[in-house]
């Protein structure tokens, strides 16, 4: 029953997103969509996935898109051409995909291949082989470590792409001017600034809790990284980019992003050198289970570092562009005034 | 003792859900942005708080209880702050409350509405 309600709401929100022209409302609806799918995952007992969806889909992607919208403007441009060809291609691809699902086993059917030998193996043996209570983490970080490595590399590549396309050279002499504007705004944003300052340490602490609690409950590197980055983005939004840059050195963050991926890969290489397969943590220590613990801890750290720093990099790149845009606008306004 | 805990927990949950529903009615029925935001901001903070307190009565161990207390503190801090920020942003962008509008503004609104429809 609750599944039907949630799925109906998802469809309604999806249509609203397509129909809306106001991009700000679209982003808010996307956040709602993420939250709804997170609650749908909770209803299906997939707490880890729900946590990730709530943190990434509803949280940080909404934030990053809001930053983008400050540069692009609020309303969607009206299309002049009729996108008939695109529609045809989409219908064709969709039909093919639906045709492909016909061969798949029915949803939750008991004799699906995944329920015949993969799932029982994980459920029965993972406690002995890996030795951590949360099966999802042992699947994600140990059995399927190679897939997760791919995901981390994708995130890292995204960060590099944003840096390559959007990184800007800043002129340090502008900083003082912006700082004085910030101080003038201080009184206006007093309440939210104080509440943020109270909450920030707890958000960071929560991120660390999620990072280390991934072995025992829902959580892990991805969610922890996103929460950590969200705290820093919140700080940067409220106190200005320059204040945030004083706290967080951008080149240091870029270094951390690379180190995270490197740490992850190194765990694999070390297990190769110790005579096992790539990402076979059993050989990391004398006792296989201790080796698994060590491996999972290390790669979760790698994931957390990379995710957090890539999110921070993306935010700083976009927001830095915005800052320069504003600055150029101010300068040109002043030029016009002086010429008048 | 069990009965007392059960009844008080259920009572808190009931009050909380009633407040949440009244907030939802408020957002549908009230005339302008500020009153709507007031309805949701006030009832949701108290409603969510009451639901959390109700859940505290049912919590099986101390760990769950303390987690609920932390969530309660978080909502108590964040709820009013977000309402404040929303109202401030709306005020800064020039959205006037319905009561503060002069007749001239109202006529202008009507013209805009009629031209839209």
């Amino acid at each position: 029953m609750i599944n039907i309600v949630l799925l109906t709401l998802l469809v309604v929100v999806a249509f609203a997103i397509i129909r809306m022209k106001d991009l700000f409302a679209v982003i808010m609806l996307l956040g709602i969509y993420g939250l709804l799918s997170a609650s749908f995952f909770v209803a299906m007992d997939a707490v880890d996935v729900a946590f990730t969806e709530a943190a990434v889909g509803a949280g940080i992607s909404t934030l990053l898109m809001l930053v983008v919208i400050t540069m692009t403007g609020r309303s969607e441009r009206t299309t002049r051409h009729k996108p008939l060809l695109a529609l045809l291609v989409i219908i064709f691809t969709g039909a093919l995909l639906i045709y492909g699902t016909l061969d798949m086993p029915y949803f939750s059917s008991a004799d699906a291949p995944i329920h015949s030998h993969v799932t029982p193996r994980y459920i029965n043996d993972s406690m002995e082989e890996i030795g951590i209570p949360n099966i999802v983490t042992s699947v994600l970080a140990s059995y399927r470590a190679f897939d997760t490595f791919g995901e981390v590399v994708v995130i890292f590549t995204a960060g590099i792409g944003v840096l390559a396309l959007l990184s800007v050279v800043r002129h340090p002499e502008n900083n003082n001017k912006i700082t004085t504007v910030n101080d003038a705004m201080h009184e206006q944003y007093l309440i939210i600034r104080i509440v943020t300052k109270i909450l920030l340490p707890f958000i960071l602490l929560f991120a660390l809790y999620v990072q280390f609690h991934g072995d025992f409950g829902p959580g892990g590197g991805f969610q922890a990284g996103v929460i950590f980055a969200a705290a820093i983005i919140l700080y940067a939004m409220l106190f200005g980019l320059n204040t945030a840059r004083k706290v967080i050195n951008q080149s240091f963050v870029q270094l951390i992003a690379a180190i995270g991926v490197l740490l992850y890969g190194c765990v694999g290489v070390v297990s190769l050198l110790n005579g096992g397969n790539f990402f076979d943590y059993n050989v990391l220590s004398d006792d296989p289970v201790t080796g698994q613990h060590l491996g999972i801890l290390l790669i979760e750290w790698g994931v957390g570092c990379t995710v957090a720093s890539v999110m921070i990099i993306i935010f700083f790149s976009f927001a830095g562009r915005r800052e320069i845009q504003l600055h150029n606008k101010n300068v040109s306004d002043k030029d016009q005034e002086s010429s008048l | 003792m069990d009965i007392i805990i059960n009844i008080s927990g259920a009572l808190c949950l009931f009050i909380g859900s009633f407040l949440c529903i009244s907030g939802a009615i408020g957002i549908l029925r009230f005339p302008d942005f500020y009153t709507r935001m007031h309805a949701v901001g006030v009832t949701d903070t108290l409603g969510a708080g009451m639901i959390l307190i109700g859940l505290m009565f049912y919590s099986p161990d101390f760990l769950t209880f303390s987690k609920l207390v932390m969530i309660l503190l978080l909502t108590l801090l964040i709820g009013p702050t977000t309402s404040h920020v929303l109202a401030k942003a709306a005020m800064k962008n020039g959205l006037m409350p319905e009561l503060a509008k002069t007749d001239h503004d109202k006529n202008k609104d009507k013209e805009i509405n009629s031209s839209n429809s």
Side-chain angles (χ1 to χ4, degrees):
Chain A
M1 180 61 203
I2 196 160
N3 284 349
I4 295 172
V5 173
L6 284 172
L7 285 174
T8 323
L9 278 175
L10 275 178
V11 173
V12 171
V13 173
F15 272 103
I17 290 173
I18 298 171
R19 299 293 304 170
M20 282 261 187
K21 290 282 179 200
D22 186 357
L23 288 180
F24 184 75
V26 167
I27 290 175
M28 286 299 136
L29 281 174
L30 277 177
I32 293 172
Y33 189 89
L35 217 56
L36 277 174
S37 32
S39 17
F40 179 58
F41 292 143
V42 171
M44 307 247 297
D45 268 349
V47 197
D48 287 79
V49 190
F51 194 5
T52 317
E53 178 65 33
V56 179
I60 200 115
S61 59
T62 317
L63 255 180
L64 291 178
M65 280 196 275
L66 276 180
V67 178
V68 176
I69 215 178
T70 54
M71 293 178 63
T72 57
R74 236 184 112 150
S75 56
E76 194 177 327
R77 210 176 285 164
T78 46
T79 46
R80 294 221 170 72
H81 62 286
K82 291 261 184 290
L84 240 174
L85 184 69
L87 188 69
L88 275 179
V89 170
I90 286 172
I91 288 176
F92 183 67
T93 327
L96 274 184
L97 286 173
I98 291 172
Y99 177 71
T101 58
L102 292 181
D103 275 350
M104 279 168 64
Y106 285 113
F107 176 68
S108 77
S109 103
D111 35 83
I114 192 148
H115 295 309
S116 61
H117 57 277
V118 184
T119 314
R121 157 99 194 268
Y122 288 157
I123 292 173
N124 295 328
D125 299 347
S126 82
M127 196 61 200
E128 270 170 47
E129 287 177 356
I130 317 283
I132 58 174
N134 188 1
I135 298 175
V136 178
T137 302
S138 60
V139 171
L140 175 126
S142 183
Y143 292 113
R144 295 260 177 269
F146 205 75
D147 298 5
T148 316
F149 187 51
E151 285 164 29
V152 177
V153 172
V154 165
I155 291 171
F156 182 61
T157 320
I160 292 179
V162 169
L163 266 184
L165 288 173
L166 292 180
S167 66
V168 282
V169 187
R170 286 182 307 109
H171 304 291
E173 74 266 22
N174 301 336
N175 283 359
N176 290 331
K177 218 181 296 169
I178 298 170
T179 318
T180 46
V181 173
N182 261 334
D183 288 343
M185 272 152 66
H186 189 67
E187 205 152 289
Q188 215 170 359
Y189 296 118
L190 198 60
I191 291 180
I192 183 157
R193 280 189 174 184
I194 288 174
V195 172
T196 313
K197 271 200 173 168
I198 297 170
L199 283 179
L200 264 182
F202 294 106
I203 299 176
L204 294 176
L205 200 68
F206 180 63
L208 288 179
Y209 168 78
V210 170
Q211 170 86 46
F212 288 113
H213 201 255
D215 295 3
F216 308 100
F222 285 101
Q223 295 96 320
V226 167
I227 293 169
F228 202 87
I232 288 168
I233 291 174
L234 181 68
Y235 185 76
M237 275 181 152
L238 287 175
F239 292 87
L241 275 182
N242 280 305
T243 328
R245 278 204 190 97
K246 276 177 203 156
V247 185
I248 298 134
N249 189 341
Q250 226 170 332
S251 48
F252 181 68
V253 172
Q254 289 164 16
L255 190 72
I256 295 281
I259 284 178
V261 180
L262 208 63
L263 181 66
Y264 199 140
C266 281
V267 174
V269 173
V270 167
S271 52
L272 265 186
L273 290 178
N274 279 6
N277 289 325
F278 200 47
F279 294 126
D280 183 1
Y281 309 139
N282 284 345
V283 293
L284 285 180
S285 168
D286 294 336
D287 179 33
V289 175
T290 321
Q292 291 283 355
H293 275 285
L294 187 66
I296 289 174
L297 188 77
L298 284 175
I299 69 143
E300 290 278 20
W301 258 114
V303 172
C305 288
T306 306
V307 171
S309 27
V310 166
M311 294 303 153
I312 294 169
I313 287 172
I314 293 177
F315 174 78
F316 270 76
S317 307
F318 278 117
R321 291 284 279 215
R322 165 78 177 160
E323 200 183 43
I324 284 184
Q325 211 179 34
L326 279 180
H327 175 71
N328 290 344
K329 205 177 145 207
N330 282 343
V331 169
S332 62
D333 284 353
K334 265 177 200 157
D335 285 351
Q336 276 178 355
E337 276 170 26
S338 57
S339 65
L340 284 172
Chain B
M1 193 60 197
D2 260 4
I3 292 178
I4 298 172
I5 288 177
N6 258 330
I7 288 177
S8 40
L11 199 68
C12 284
L13 283 178
F14 180 77
I15 295 172
S17 13
F18 172 76
L19 283 170
C20 283
I21 289 175
S22 67
I25 294 172
I27 206 174
L28 290 173
R29 298 284 301 160
F30 275 147
D32 69 343
F33 176 79
Y34 294 98
T35 43
R36 283 176 184 176
M37 207 200 60
H38 171 80
V40 176
V42 171
T43 53
D44 259 20
T45 309
L46 190 59
M50 287 309 270
I51 287 177
L52 284 170
I53 291 172
L55 289 176
M56 277 174 211
F57 281 110
Y58 290 111
S59 58
D61 49 16
F62 183 70
L63 188 67
T64 323
F65 181 80
S66 52
K67 278 181 187 171
L68 284 170
V69 170
M70 277 185 240
I71 300 175
L72 179 64
L73 287 177
L74 194 75
T75 39
L76 284 184
L77 261 178
I78 286 181
T81 316
T82 42
S83 317
H84 163 81
V85 171
L86 260 179
K88 197 151 200 165
M91 205 70 191
K92 214 182 154 196
N93 285 314
L95 184 70
M96 293 296 282
E98 195 82 353
L99 279 176
K101 274 183 188 165
T102 53
D103 286 341
H104 178 71
D105 286 340
K106 276 181 189 167
N107 289 335
K108 221 192 238 169
D109 277 1
K110 266 178 201 163
E111 277 167 26
I112 293 167
N113 285 336
S114 56
S115 65
N116 278 350
S117 60

